[in-house]
Amino acid sequence: MGNFRLGMSPAGGFTLLETIVALTLVVSAIVGPFSLASRGVFGAKFSRSKLIALNLAQEGIEIVRAMRENNVLIGADWRGLTGPCASGCARLQDGSYQLDVYTSASGSTPPVSSGSALLFDESAGLYSQAAGSPTPFTRVLDISTPAPAQMRIVSTVRWTESNIPRQARVEVVLYNWQ
């Protein structure tokens, strides 16, 4: 009868079960790192967008802060919309506004009916409503007056990423420091 042992096949190959287990281990060893890498890319993209949005929200606050300080320094109304003006300055009334570095410098501050996308001017490195390539970001500044010497500003930047609506919000209260 030769050297044939019970339970061993004469060819000495793998069984179907052993092959399936081996393939499962190989596939999971390949898919795992790819899944982790794709999540890392998505996380990096989201982090980049969130950082841009938070900086745009803070920029909106800083635009209003600069307007307040310039008006105080020239002796105008601290809530004035425009640049230099003596008396009778237009005021930042309670409401929603879209301000950027260009509209605040020119003194035009259109109220917002709906948030339009910010544009990115690559040559200047600025986001604005004026010129540039479209971005997914919109910024709205909501201004209210909780007290006579206070101005509450909520700067909200919205964007959509991977079909998920997102937003970044910065809130501050400015005071009449005259």
Side-chain angles (χ1 to χ4, degrees):
M1 274 224 173
N3 290 335
F4 183 72
R5 287 189 271 164
L6 189 59
M8 294 286 291
S9 70
F14 291 106
T15 64
L16 181 60
L17 183 60
E18 290 172 327
T19 304
I20 291 173
V21 169
L23 283 174
T24 303
L25 290 174
V26 169
V27 168
S28 65
I30 292 172
V31 170
F34 279 119
S35 175
L36 188 61
S38 68
R39 286 185 186 194
V41 168
F42 175 77
K45 184 179 176 192
F46 172 70
S47 295
R48 179 180 183 270
S49 296
K50 180 98 178 198
L51 181 63
I52 291 171
L54 285 169
N55 283 323
L56 287 170
Q58 184 62 38
E59 179 188 55
I61 299 288
E62 296 304 324
I63 288 170
V64 176
R65 186 186 312 263
M67 292 169 67
R68 176 203 59 179
E69 292 172 1
N70 288 337
N71 284 322
V72 168
L73 290 173
I74 64 168
D77 181 5
W78 74 284
R79 287 180 56 126
L81 281 174
T82 60
C85 62
S87 62
C89 260
R91 291 170 50 90
L92 278 169
Q93 302 296 331
D94 291 358
S96 297
Y97 296 87
Q98 285 185 314
L99 298 174
D100 62 37
V101 292
Y102 298 121
T103 57
S104 64
S106 69
S108 72
T109 54
V112 173
S113 56
S114 65
S116 60
L118 288 167
L119 306 173
F120 181 66
D121 183 357
E122 202 165 315
S123 62
L126 297 173
Y127 287 84
S128 71
Q129 305 288 334
S133 56
T135 69
F137 302 104
T138 61
R139 175 176 57 207
V140 175
L141 298 165
D142 294 309
I143 298 175
S144 61
T145 311
Q150 294 179 355
M151 184 180 354
R152 180 176 174 257
I153 305 161
V154 178
S155 179
T156 307
V157 175
R158 291 183 174 84
W159 77 101
T160 300
E161 189 166 12
S162 301
N163 293 328
I164 301 171
R166 310 234 185 232
Q167 80 173 18
R169 183 177 159 169
V170 176
E171 184 176 332
V172 71
V173 176
L174 298 180
Y175 296 91
N176 182 2
W177 52 269
Q178 290 177 305

